[in-house]
Amino acid sequence: MSAFELTTVDLESRNIASDCARISTRIESYRAREAAAHPSLIVSEQHEPPIPAERCVPEITANELTIDSLRAGISEHGALIVRNLFSKTSMDTLIKAADSVIDACSDSTLTPGINTYYNPPGNLRTIMPKKDRELGNTRSFHRESGSAMCVEAPSVAEALLQLYEAHGLKELIGLYLGEPPCLSVKKWVLRRSKLPVAEAGWHQDGAFMGTNLNSLNMWMPLNECGGTTGAPSMDVVPQRLNKIASAAGAQFDWSVSDSQVSSRLVNSQPLAPTFSAGDVFFFDHFYLHRTQYRPDFTKLRYAVETWFFGASSFPKNQIPIAW
């Protein structure tokens, strides 16, 4: 594990204009690029998933994270938890950054400028056209759910990429995807839960991103959550799924109803893992999950969610960006 730590001093001393230019270039590099029509898929909907001896969410330590352990966790169980991959110092820095970015994005009086925590690249407006209200609707969705796109604060986004690379994740994720990874404007998000926690629907991200792609999500809690911590974790169905579950009876056409989760479609009891700051949770676009909700949650949960895709097998509708 790398000794690299992200501190507020380091974050606020970055060259803001340079970071914004880099994020703009990352966005621009995929503007005219289309995904391969027939990518070599890691997970095929045509194959039945394996039935493991134990249905669980496997856990390993940071020094056990290899391409083999990552592949085994995802292919056999649909997910993998890695404990203590990042330092508490870095997580505390990102909590402060998340507060600043989310608050800035929610302030309708704030004008974008040279600011560590709010300096959206100009080409967001053209790659998510105003006439289609894509950018405005996306920002509204994030405001209402207590989140913000990382690219709204390019210095935070670039610092995160540096943190990931220092821990060997760019190489590891590239090996897993079978090609260099890219990220996504819409699916690279700083999260701060709202209280009380609203009821959340079961879903698979592939239901709205598509399935003709290769993906890996790294969900990174910035503070402890789940169990008796007082902050919401995530409810998950601990099994490998290779196709999109039925939306029959669900609230949205991309979600899955409670009855479907408890039906014969899913042969596992849902679990709610407990996380510490610096853990990471890997899963892909077929994994069935939801934000945990109960009336007794009293603490905020902070997280960074980063979806990675293959450089030629990405969902164009999620606005891919180069790494």
Side-chain angles (χ1 to χ4, degrees):
M1 177 177 168
S2 168
F4 177 87
E5 291 186 344
L6 180 61
T7 69
T8 300
V9 171
D10 292 336
L11 184 56
E12 294 184 350
S13 65
R14 296 185 64 92
N15 186 315
I16 301 168
S18 179
D19 286 336
C20 190
R22 279 194 289 269
I23 287 294
S24 294
T25 299
R26 295 185 193 280
I27 291 170
E28 209 59 40
S29 68
Y30 272 82
R31 183 185 291 272
R33 193 182 305 189
E34 298 295 332
H38 304 288
S40 177
L41 297 179
I42 298 170
V43 180
S44 171
E45 295 185 67
Q46 309 306 315
H47 298 121
E48 287 296 316
I51 301 176
E54 179 185 10
R55 291 208 168 89
C56 64
V57 184
E59 300 181 14
I60 61 173
T61 61
N63 60 11
E64 294 174 315
L65 178 58
T66 64
I67 185 57
D68 291 334
S69 62
L70 179 59
R71 282 177 177 154
I74 301 293
S75 65
E76 295 171 20
H77 299 274
L80 177 69
I81 295 173
V82 183
R83 299 296 186 185
N84 300 312
L85 183 60
F86 299 109
S87 73
K88 189 173 185 305
T89 296
S90 295
M91 301 300 96
D92 287 346
T93 299
L94 287 170
I95 287 174
K96 294 176 183 177
D99 276 334
S100 297
V101 176
I102 293 169
D103 288 345
C105 289
S106 298
D107 186 350
S108 60
T109 67
L110 193 62
T111 301
I114 304 300
N115 186 309
T116 299
Y117 301 110
Y118 188 59
N119 188 35
N123 57 353
L124 272 184
R125 290 196 174 277
T126 57
I127 205 159
M128 300 169 74
K130 186 175 182 179
K131 64 180 175 65
D132 296 330
R133 296 190 54 78
E134 184 177 7
L135 180 56
N137 290 340
T138 301
R139 284 173 165 164
S140 294
F141 171 81
H142 283 297
R143 279 196 302 273
E144 292 167 6
S145 58
S147 56
M149 295 180 290
C150 288
V151 297
E152 301 276 28
S155 287
V156 175
E158 288 293 327
L160 277 168
L161 293 182
Q162 183 181 356
L163 180 67
Y164 298 167
E165 289 190 40
H167 286 75
L169 290 170
K170 185 174 185 180
E171 179 181 5
L172 178 75
I173 292 167
L175 287 171
Y176 177 80
L177 295 171
E179 59 180 333
C182 64
L183 296 89
S184 157
V185 167
K186 292 184 179 180
K187 297 294 290 178
W188 186 17
V189 179
L190 298 161
R191 298 195 179 278
R192 180 180 66 193
S193 63
K194 289 189 171 183
L195 296 175
V197 178
E199 181 175 347
W202 290 101
H203 67 279
Q204 299 158 287
D205 287 72
F208 51 85
M209 295 193 307
T211 58
N212 193 37
L213 52 84
N214 293 320
S215 78
L216 187 68
N217 182 27
M218 184 174 75
W219 187 81
M220 179 170 66
L222 306 181
N223 62 318
E224 62 178 10
C225 58
T228 60
T229 64
S233 171
M234 195 182 293
D235 290 330
V236 304
V237 173
Q239 70 178 84
R240 170 76 260 172
L241 297 177
N242 285 9
K243 59 185 177 182
I244 299 301
S246 171
Q251 185 176 3
F252 304 105
D253 60 6
W254 48 262
S255 60
V256 179
S257 69
D258 288 345
S259 61
Q260 286 285 327
V261 170
S262 60
S263 75
R264 65 179 181 272
L265 172 69
V266 177
N267 300 313
S268 302
Q269 289 297 313
L271 300 176
T274 300
F275 295 97
S276 297
D279 294 344
V280 298
F281 187 27
F282 289 110
F283 56 90
D284 71 4
H285 55 287
F286 286 114
Y287 200 60
L288 189 53
H289 63 285
R290 69 179 177 185
T291 297
Q292 188 182 28
Y293 68 92
R294 294 197 315 260
D296 59 334
F297 287 128
T298 58
K299 296 180 181 178
L300 296 175
R301 182 200 70 196
Y302 289 83
V304 178
E305 183 171 20
T306 311
W307 279 87
F308 302 98
F309 305 100
S312 66
S313 60
F314 49 82
K316 186 76 171 183
N317 63 350
Q318 299 304 310
I319 318 296
I321 61 175
W323 187 356

